[in-house]
Amino acid sequence: MSLATSSPEPLAIGIDIGGTGTKFGIVDRIGNVLFSGEISTRKHPTVESFINDLYDNLYPLIEKSAASAV
């Protein structure tokens, strides 16, 4: 799903992967944070489990941003 085509204004996803925590959010074109979340970076034994956890937590925010644009 493309955020740019499902909403009237372009949105962006930002991800900050830190040593202990990963923060992520969806922002509008002027930088207002519309939705955000955070997961632990260290608790994952593999890169794949980190990516899966990030996806599981970020995808609902993408759905919320698409729903709020309608």
Side-chain angles (χ1 to χ4, degrees):
M1 170 170 76
S2 170
L3 290 178
T5 59
S6 64
S7 65
E9 69 173 304
L11 302 177
I13 295 172
I15 301 172
D16 176 11
I17 302 173
T20 58
T22 296
K23 297 177 183 178
F24 48 88
I26 299 177
V27 298
D28 64 15
R29 70 176 15 195
I30 59 173
N32 295 314
V33 178
L34 306 176
F35 303 98
S36 64
E38 183 174 357
I39 62 172
S40 171
T41 303
R42 291 187 175 187
K43 77 172 189 174
H44 302 91
T46 64
V47 171
E48 290 81 7
S49 69
F50 170 77
I51 296 297
N52 288 336
D53 192 21
L54 181 60
Y55 174 85
D56 290 343
N57 284 274
L58 184 56
Y59 191 75
L61 301 183
I62 294 169
E63 289 181 322
K64 281 184 189 179
S65 67
S68 68
V70 176

